[in-house]
Amino acid sequence: MSADKPAKAVEETVEKVVDTAKSALQQAADLIPGAPGSAPPTVEEPTEPKGPMPPKKEHGHPETRTPTGAKSGTSAKSFAQQGAFLTTANGARLRDSDHSLKAGERGPTLLQDHHLREKITHFDHERIPERVVHARGAGAHGTFEGYGTASEVTLAGFLEKGKKTDVFVRFSTVLGNRGSADTVRDTRGFATKFYTDEGTFDLVANNIPVFFIQDGIKFPDVIHAGKPHPDREIPQAQSAHDTFWDFVSLHTEAQHHTIWNMSDRGIPRSYRMMEGFGVHTFRLVNAEGTTVLVKFHWKPKLGVHSLTWEEAQMLGGLDPDFHRRDLYDAIESGAFPEWELGIQVMPDNPEETFEGIDLLDPTKIVPEELVPVQPIGKMTLNKVPSNFFAETEQVAFHVGHLPPGIDVTNDPLLQTRLFSYVDTQLTRLGGPNFTQIPVNRPHAPVNDMTRDGFHQHAEHTGVAPYKPNSLDGGCPFFAGAEDGAYLDVPVKVAEARKVRANPASFDDHYSQVRLFWASMTPVEKEHIIRAYTFELGKCYEQAIKERQLQALANIDPVLCSEVATGLGLPAPEPTLPLADVTPSPALSQVGGEWPPDGRMVGIVIDPAGDLSGVRELREAIFSADMVPLLIAPHGGMVEDLPVQRTFSTGRSVEYDVLLLAGCPAPAPDAIPARESEAGASSSPTVDPRVLLLIEECWRHAKVIGAWGEGVTALGQSGTDGSVGVVTGESAEAVFAEVQQLMASHRVWERFPTTV
Ligand code: HDE
């Protein structure tokens, strides 16, 4: 029998299964994002052979390029599994993979069992070293479109008006292991790979615009201090421990980055709601060779928003994958995350300073009020990786991947990074050919003279991988400026001695920390005080707490005394004069209004109550680009309404806003004693978990809305009549008011402040 015949029959069956699956899937996806497979499974184990399942609708993949950057013309499917039958890695079909080949049923197992050895050996080597920092991450594919507004300052083609470039972004936390929780207090990585047709550009950024250290030689020090203690390997993924505070209190240039981490920026609500910063100053060059100094900024369309500290902690247990789930669900639901790329442009001058700010010092920002951020393009993330390992884990960024028109500066932190990123991939990705891994393949022709090495995928031709040569006709040739060659800007290097020292301007460790503090609103200051108090309170050593209090005294006496009170220690006097600063309102997250796209709206329903209004409400929420999640006492359906969360599976932290469409009585599985242990009041008329939902949402300053019987539930919780709690006659009227309040992210007035 020919091998294609069964394959054809199988293919037809697969198509049928897939078609039915697709429509069922569409229905399921319409109800709630996150269905695990491409099609709903059957209860019985399937018996018909069929080919690999198709990708889900939200799945994307790297464009199919050859290892040397050419369009391969093959479909992404050709990279996935082939055929309907289980095979060895060499394609031989297998009858059985459940039993090893043995000398009789009772063994022993035979060494000749190639399939057994191949299966186990491959499994034994499935793991690669996780990233030494930024190990925990989530990626997405998307597109960048240039506005053309940077054309005067750079010749980078991908920034030209209307030019579209594929991108892959990886968001991350810095300190935790690959399996750590998403919502820990930490800096977030925001690394973007632009596959430009002039070579790949990697903008390897963070959500905080400054860094702990001014010179890359100290990177192992700050990371060793932040990572878990080397003896017990605790605590995981956090800075609330002695070694971190020992380091930052001794090494005071770290104080600026530290206050950002202690602020709400350290606990983002979502990757979609974070700014990104290139941190270092870069040098742009235009076609005439004129240069400017710039800082890169990503500005999220949805604004910059954070979790509350309690939400972050609860999510660490209730949903440690909160940020990656949020990113993937938003993309699947069509609420594509968007950012504008912007630049602050400063004149290039021999001192590399602007208004007294040393532009080579990565512990300093340039306030946006001094130099506004000019938008130069827009990025939209619209696809989730089809395979986490192949794409998110194997993507390899490098700050030295630059297209013509963008160059580095002498920032000593950036200079070390230029070495580190290739070096780390050699171990992590097992050799020097990591740019040939599909997600890393450039979208520009590659003609280098590197050869061989582990995992070489290119099949180089010619005999002369050296220059000059005549045997390969002199190939490859050098490109001139007219051929789009990369230009190392011929910046003048000042005459100097070889030293291990910083410029004197790097010695100012406090003025911008004070600027940040002074730019916060009272509620943000309150959060910062609590964060320092919590973190230092978790340290054992009194000397370290006292030393950090001294640093706080040099930032601000109020900050210092509030934290000292919490620690039960005296507040020291400043040892340095306090800088006179002009606040930068751009640093605050409070006060603006933003679109609520992709927000989660929890709706409590009572199956025995009046459901009128809920159907129209769901439609209205979808039309407002938000996701409604119905919360009911049991799963399945309530009449024709799909239930997405039950009282036992849902928790307040996953909703941005709570609506009460009914007043459900305690369900049979409600255990009042347990729920009140969790903080809920108990009532004979309302399910205790609903009261817990209301109380937590209220405490986390979320908008709450109720109508009809829902108002009774509110009354039981004692939150009715308070600020940000909306009641009304109909779902429609309440939702309209709720939407307006949501634009400010939280009901800020609900947070009491003392400063
Ligand atoms: Fe990194 N950093 N870094 N870093 N960094 C890495 O490279 C390093 C720094 C940043 O999602 C590593 O591929 C040194 C600043 C992000 O794959 C490593 C120094 C900023 C990511 C490395 C810095 C960053 C990394 C580990 C001081 C913000 C994740 C794995 C000189 C502008 C990229 C890897 C991803 C990853 C070194 C400082 C951002 C070891 C030596 C400043 C977002 O090469």
Side-chain angles (χ1 to χ4, degrees), residues 131-134 137 170-172 188-191 203-206 208 210-211 213 215-220 277-280 362 392 395-397 399 412-418 420-425 428:
R131 287 166 174 81
V132 57
V133 283
H134 296 267
R170 184 173 179 274
F171 300 106
S172 49
R188 298 299 184 287
F190 187 153
L203 181 54
V204 197
N206 277 349
I208 287 180
V210 287
F211 206 67
I213 48 171
D215 187 321
I217 197 169
K218 294 211 61 76
F219 193 61
F277 304 94
V279 173
H280 316 281
T392 308
V395 67
F397 296 93
V399 278
L413 190 68
L414 177 55
Q415 293 281 317
T416 310
R417 294 181 77 200
L418 288 166
S420 180
Y421 287 71
V422 163
D423 185 46
T424 203
Q425 314 306 350
R428 195 170 74 78

Side-chain angles (χ1 to χ4, degrees), residues 209-211 213-217 278-283 293-295 352 358-364 399 407-418 502-503 506:
V210 287
F211 206 67
I213 48 171
Q214 293 165 322
D215 187 321
I217 197 169
V279 173
H280 316 281
T281 301
F282 288 80
R283 182 171 271 110
L293 297 174
V294 299
K295 288 202 180 265
E352 293 159 316
D358 193 329
L359 298 175
L360 297 195
D361 178 354
T363 67
K364 302 289 189 308
V399 278
D407 200 356
V408 296
T409 57
N410 294 341
D411 171 345
L413 190 68
L414 177 55
Q415 293 281 317
T416 310
R417 294 181 77 200
L418 288 166
N502 278 339
F506 280 36

Side-chain angles (χ1 to χ4, degrees), residues 91-140:
R93 290 182 183 172
L94 288 163
R95 281 176 200 282
D96 181 326
S97 188
D98 294 345
H99 305 92
S100 45
L101 191 65
K102 289 174 294 192
E105 282 88 352
R106 302 173 71 81
T109 302
L110 299 177
L111 181 63
Q112 74 177 68
D113 186 348
H114 171 71
H115 172 52
L116 166 71
R117 280 182 291 115
E118 181 183 78
K119 185 173 175 183
I120 297 297
T121 311
H122 198 282
F123 170 76
D124 290 345
H125 296 272
E126 272 178 13
R127 293 289 167 271
I128 61 170
E130 64 174 31
R131 287 166 174 81
V132 57
V133 283
H134 296 267
R136 169 84 183 166

Side-chain angles (χ1 to χ4, degrees), residues 167-183:
V167 294
F168 185 82
V169 174
R170 184 173 179 274
F171 300 106
S172 49
T173 52
V174 178
L175 289 178
N177 290 351
R178 212 185 122 179
S180 56
D182 279 346
T183 59

Side-chain angles (χ1 to χ4, degrees), residues 354-422:
F354 182 79
E355 303 258 329
I357 301 165
D358 193 329
L359 298 175
L360 297 195
D361 178 354
T363 67
K364 302 289 189 308
I365 59 159
V366 177
E368 289 183 32
E369 290 74 14
L370 274 185
V371 182
V373 177
Q374 301 175 33
I376 59 173
K378 188 174 83 171
M379 176 168 78
T380 308
L381 297 182
N382 50 22
K383 291 286 174 196
V384 171
S386 306
N387 184 280
F388 185 92
F389 182 85
E391 298 161 65
T392 308
E393 198 57 14
Q394 294 200 107
V395 67
F397 296 93
H398 185 355
V399 278
H401 291 164
L402 299 165
I406 306 180
D407 200 356
V408 296
T409 57
N410 294 341
D411 171 345
L413 190 68
L414 177 55
Q415 293 281 317
T416 310
R417 294 181 77 200
L418 288 166
F419 163 74
S420 180
Y421 287 71
V422 163

